[in-house]
Amino acid sequence: MTTVEIVMAVVMFAIAGLWLFLGIRSFMERGFLLNNAYIYATKEERKTMDKKPYYRQSAVAFCLLSVMFVIIGLSVLFQNDTIMLLVIPFAVAVVLYAVVSSVLHHKRTK
C-alpha cells in the first residue's frame, strides 16, 4: 500500500466522521439546520416553521453519506474496487430519501 492510498483512506474516514458528527448533531436538533427548506426560508418563515422534520431529514442523509465514505475508505484501504459497488445503493437511498421525505412533508403541511 502506497502513502497516497493511506492518505486517501484517512481522508475518506475523516470525511465519514464529519458526516457522522453532523448526523448526530442533527438528530439532537443542535446547530445550524443544514436543509434547503430552512436555508431558503425567510426570517419570518424560519421563526414559525417546525424544524424537527428538517433536522431528521438532514440527519438521515448525513448518516447515509457517512456510510458511503466508510465504504469508499475501506475500498481504498483493501485495494478492492468491487467494494465500491456497495456505494451505489447508498447513493440511491440518499437521493430517494431526500425526495420522498420532502414530498411527504410538503403533503402533510398542506
Side-chain angles (χ1 to χ4, degrees):
M1 179 175 260
T2 65
T3 305
V4 173
E5 291 170 330
I6 293 170
V7 170
M8 281 300 297
V10 168
V11 168
M12 292 300 117
F13 290 130
I15 293 171
L18 176 66
W19 285 126
L20 184 62
F21 173 75
L22 290 173
I24 291 169
R25 296 266 304 174
S26 291
F27 273 124
M28 294 170 53
E29 297 180 17
R30 301 252 164 103
F32 185 76
L33 179 54
L34 296 169
N35 192 297
N36 283 342
Y38 181 77
I39 292 171
Y40 292 124
T42 63
K43 288 184 180 182
E44 294 80 26
E45 290 173 332
R46 287 181 183 182
K47 290 178 184 176
T48 60
M49 75 180 353
D50 179 22
K51 296 178 188 97
K52 187 172 186 159
Y54 298 114
Y55 269 116
R56 185 175 188 282
Q57 180 186 36
S58 296
V60 170
F62 291 151
C63 288
L64 288 171
L65 286 170
S66 176
V67 171
M68 286 174 53
F69 277 91
V70 167
I71 293 170
I72 294 169
L74 290 174
S75 174
V76 172
L77 191 66
F78 295 131
Q79 299 175 346
N80 187 345
D81 293 335
T82 56
I83 295 174
M84 285 292 290
L85 294 176
L86 294 174
V87 171
I88 296 169
F90 285 100
V92 170
V94 169
V95 173
L96 282 177
Y97 177 77
V99 170
V100 170
S101 66
S102 293
V103 168
L104 290 176
H105 179 70
H106 186 68
K107 282 184 179 181
R108 277 187 233 131
T109 57
K110 281 193 172 187

